[in-house]
Amino acid sequence: DDGAGGDGAGAHYRPSHPGARAAYGRLLTLVSGRDYLGNQPAAVLHSACDEVLSVLKDGGLRDPERKGRVARLLSGRPGGVSDAVYSVLVGHGKGCDDYEDFKARQAGGGAAAGKDGGGG
């Protein structure tokens, strides 16, 4: 299954409200920290955050599996993220409570990024 979702150039998650924006900003700060991905282009960091959120939001995974996948994404090894950092990541992931809506929009034809007919 090749559904990684990283092919669209501008298809990165964009929080839709201030609470999610703050949580995503903190996630981005953590991911871009020295201990993980560090000095990388913004597109790489945003893609990594998308992948981390995708794993955190995957209801088919148990926490140990989730933690291992997140650790591999950020450090290249299954044990590369401490329990404390993983807990912080989970908290930031919960703060991005509009992520699943974003993914649903992407799956439903995300080409209309700027103009969507029914906004709220």
Side-chain angles (χ1 to χ4, degrees):
D1 199 290
D2 278 341
D7 290 338
H12 298 298
Y13 166 66
R14 288 185 158 178
S16 65
H17 61 83
R21 187 174 216 164
Y24 185 74
R26 290 181 176 161
L27 177 65
L28 190 58
T29 297
L30 196 135
V31 165
S32 65
R34 240 179 166 175
D35 293 337
Y36 301 109
L37 300 181
N39 189 19
Q40 298 290 332
V44 170
L45 297 173
H46 285 278
S47 290
C49 283
D50 266 9
E51 289 298 317
V52 168
L53 280 172
S54 178
V55 171
L56 291 174
K57 299 287 186 178
D58 187 340
L61 298 175
R62 295 180 183 177
D63 260 353
E65 177 81 18
R66 228 179 250 133
K67 183 183 175 202
R69 287 189 183 190
V70 167
R72 273 181 262 140
L73 285 168
L74 296 182
S75 70
R77 61 176 74 160
V81 171
S82 70
D83 289 342
V85 169
Y86 178 70
S87 179
V88 169
L89 288 168
V90 168
H92 295 333
K94 287 180 181 178
C96 296
D97 57 3
D98 58 350
Y99 182 76
E100 289 166 6
D101 182 50
F102 166 79
K103 290 308 267 183
R105 284 185 189 174
Q106 293 299 101
K115 291 186 178 181
D116 66 309

